[in-house]
Amino acid sequence: MSTHVGPSPRRRSAAVKIGSVTVGGNHPIVVQSMTNTDTADVMSTVNQVMALANAGSELVRVTVNTEEAARAVPKIVETVEKFGVRVPIIGDFHYNGHILLKKYPEMAHALAKYRINPGNVNIGKKHDDNFRVMIEAAIEYDRPVRIGVNWGSLDQALLTRMMDENSRRPEPADAKTVTLRAIVASAVESAKAAERYGLAHDKIILSAKVSGVQDLIAVYRMLAQEGDWALHLGLTEAGLGSKGIVATTAGIGVLLQEGIGDTIRASLTPLPNGDRTEEVIVCQQILQALELRSFTPQVTACPGCGRTTSTFFQDMADQIQTYLRQQMPIWKSRYTGVEEMKVAVMGCVVNGPGESKHSNIGISLPGTFEEPVAPVYVDGKLKCTLRGDAIVADFIAILNDYVERRYAASTLEPVQA
């Protein structure tokens, strides 16, 4: 009996070009994020865009909600490029996007993509002039759009119509099911309207965001059956801390495992003065855990137990993971495949040697009452045994030597220990 291991085959979707990044098709799943600065504050926004991009965000979205924000966009894009950061910047529009896109052509040109929320424009009402104006701007400036439906701002006219239709059925569905269907219908009807107005099929990305994990899974399963538009995944409000991370991972992870999704965002609520780049790292870790992409070498570390009363292995694991992340901007320009390297930092003899042997390079630190030595394994073979107070520095030196020999070489065969 054979057992399939890994995600389901990727759903076929149209490829959408956004500046230098392509979403959908056979291209890797794209990580994106959004600033939380006042876009009118140019330098604060520039700094956050660059921080997100340097952390690995491949698309960055900014709010464009006022005339001051619209005027600031070209300067933000220009400044980011002057600093040598190449990341497409997306404009997030609600309510007045049709006015701003028409009034500020430099802003419309500077942005790489427009995000439109159909629940906050007049599509679905007696006329849809505002929606049409935004689509016409996208056509004029040759920009793709994301039609992003949020259940917190769902088109009420559409929802009312579908609720009425449902009530006349012999066996009506419950209100929540109708709401989820309305979210999907809003996205699909808006996409079809955009195409009727002349926007190319491969200029459209769809999203249908809710705040519950099971609702997210249900709505995207439905949306994936409606066409081959590229899909952006994410909870609309994931939440704080571990709750937000777990909810995001649970929802996005299931969909990616089923082959659904072309670009993702973790909409985490940061703590006051918290690091906005955390949402980028979470997305990267989801993709890397599912073996869909590799971004940085991974450290395997045991959780600790009564055998590891010292916190030294925890400190070392943290130092090594931080070191690897800091080195990646340098390494990725010099070495091929280094982002797939696996490192083990284990706390005692029970699983330490075995886990280290399964990694590219690993160390098994001495647990409580164990002999104060730390064997180091390279490609499954014992390389040396470290002792003394310089174990971290010595291990990093071995790590650097391994990277240089293993990934700079023309062949990717394992180096000799």
Side-chain angles (χ1 to χ4, degrees):
M1 182 178 69
S2 63
T3 301
H4 172 73
V5 178
S8 298
R10 182 98 167 268
R11 163 187 169 271
R12 289 187 61 185
S13 61
V16 181
K17 186 79 171 174
I18 308 170
S20 59
V21 175
T22 302
V23 170
N26 294 321
H27 295 268
I29 295 165
V30 172
V31 172
Q32 61 176 282
S33 59
M34 184 176 183
T35 61
N36 62 355
T37 57
D38 179 359
T39 306
D41 184 341
V42 172
M43 286 317 301
S44 292
T45 304
V46 164
N47 288 337
Q48 194 170 90
V49 168
M50 292 196 301
L52 291 166
N54 289 333
S57 185
E58 293 154 311
L59 301 171
V60 177
R61 184 159 41 112
V62 301
T63 296
V64 187
N65 58 337
T66 64
E67 297 199 13
E68 292 78 13
R71 286 194 291 266
V73 164
K75 185 65 175 177
I76 291 167
V77 173
E78 178 187 3
T79 306
V80 167
E81 290 178 351
K82 281 184 177 178
F83 277 102
V85 177
R86 302 286 182 261
V87 62
I89 296 177
I90 299 161
D92 188 76
F93 296 98
H94 296 271
Y95 306 110
N96 60 352
H98 59 292
I99 297 172
L100 298 177
L101 283 167
K102 198 167 185 177
K103 187 173 181 179
Y104 295 96
E106 289 185 1
M107 175 269 294
H109 177 75
L111 293 170
K113 186 182 77 170
Y114 313 147
R115 186 281 175 112
I116 303 173
N117 183 341
N120 290 336
V121 295
N122 62 343
I123 190 167
K125 299 179 181 172
K126 291 183 178 179
H127 64 87
D128 55 7
D129 296 344
N130 299 350
F131 179 79
R132 183 197 291 261
V133 166
M134 298 181 77
I135 297 301
E136 288 173 347
I139 296 169
E140 179 180 356
Y141 296 102
D142 192 27
R143 296 293 185 265
V145 301
R146 170 160 71 93
I147 296 174
V149 181
N150 282 2
W151 77 342
S153 51
L154 181 59
D155 180 349
Q156 291 303 300
L158 172 64
L159 180 59
T160 299
R161 186 190 83 209
M162 292 185 66
M163 286 289 187
D164 290 343
E165 291 172 354
N166 178 68
S167 67
R168 293 192 292 269
R169 293 176 181 272
E171 296 182 10
D174 61 86
K176 187 174 185 179
T177 298
V178 177
T179 300
L180 296 180
R181 290 172 180 169
I183 293 170
V184 174
S186 177
V188 172
E189 289 181 12
S190 299
K192 290 179 177 178
E195 292 184 23
R196 285 198 305 272
Y197 299 145
L199 189 64
H201 185 74
D202 62 359
K203 292 287 188 181
I204 299 173
I205 296 174
L206 299 185
S207 68
K209 291 193 172 185
V210 294
S211 55
V213 171
Q214 293 293 352
D215 295 331
L216 183 82
I217 294 168
V219 80
Y220 273 96
R221 283 173 174 166
M222 287 190 283
L223 188 57
Q225 299 299 316
E226 293 292 331
D228 68 343
W229 294 285
L231 300 181
H232 167 64
L233 305 185
L235 291 167
T236 186
E237 300 104 3
L240 281 162
S242 59
K243 183 269 181 185
I245 294 171
V246 171
T248 296
T249 303
I252 291 178
V254 168
L255 291 167
L256 293 177
Q257 187 72 7
E258 294 180 1
I260 298 170
D262 302 290
T263 175
I264 65 173
R265 182 194 172 203
S267 298
L268 305 179
T269 304
L271 294 172
N273 301 313
D275 189 350
R276 190 70 167 178
T277 63
E278 181 184 20
E279 65 178 54
V280 179
I281 295 170
V282 168
C283 286
Q284 290 179 333
Q285 289 297 329
I286 291 171
L287 294 174
Q288 193 142 351
L290 291 172
E291 299 181 3
L292 293 168
R293 290 187 66 181
S294 295
F295 297 94
T296 188
Q298 298 292 287
V299 173
T300 299
C302 65
C305 66
R307 292 176 174 270
T308 56
T309 53
S310 168
T311 61
F312 180 72
F313 86 94
Q314 298 165 319
D315 294 334
M316 184 171 179
D318 182 57
Q319 289 180 59
I320 296 299
Q321 184 70 76
T322 300
Y323 178 77
L324 293 171
R325 188 167 289 278
Q326 291 172 343
Q327 288 298 109
M328 269 309 296
I330 302 169
W331 284 352
K332 69 181 181 181
S333 65
R334 297 181 183 175
Y335 307 119
T336 301
V338 67
E339 66 277 4
E340 297 177 1
M341 180 173 65
K342 292 180 172 59
V343 180
V345 179
M346 303 299 292
C348 79
V349 73
V350 173
N351 292 321
E355 193 69 52
S356 296
K357 290 176 183 178
H358 289 307
S359 300
N360 295 101
I361 179 169
I363 185 169
S364 178
L365 297 168
T368 306
F369 306 124
E370 292 178 9
E371 185 180 355
V373 297
V376 175
Y377 295 83
V378 173
D379 289 326
K381 297 179 181 179
L382 179 65
K383 177 179 177 61
C384 63
T385 300
L386 301 180
R387 296 176 174 83
D389 298 329
I391 286 179
V392 176
D394 291 344
F395 184 73
I396 286 177
I398 295 170
L399 177 65
N400 286 332
D401 178 69
Y402 179 81
V403 170
E404 174 63 31
R405 292 188 296 138
R406 170 70 167 80
Y407 296 102
S410 57
T411 176
L412 295 183
E413 292 297 319
V415 298
Q416 296 299 312

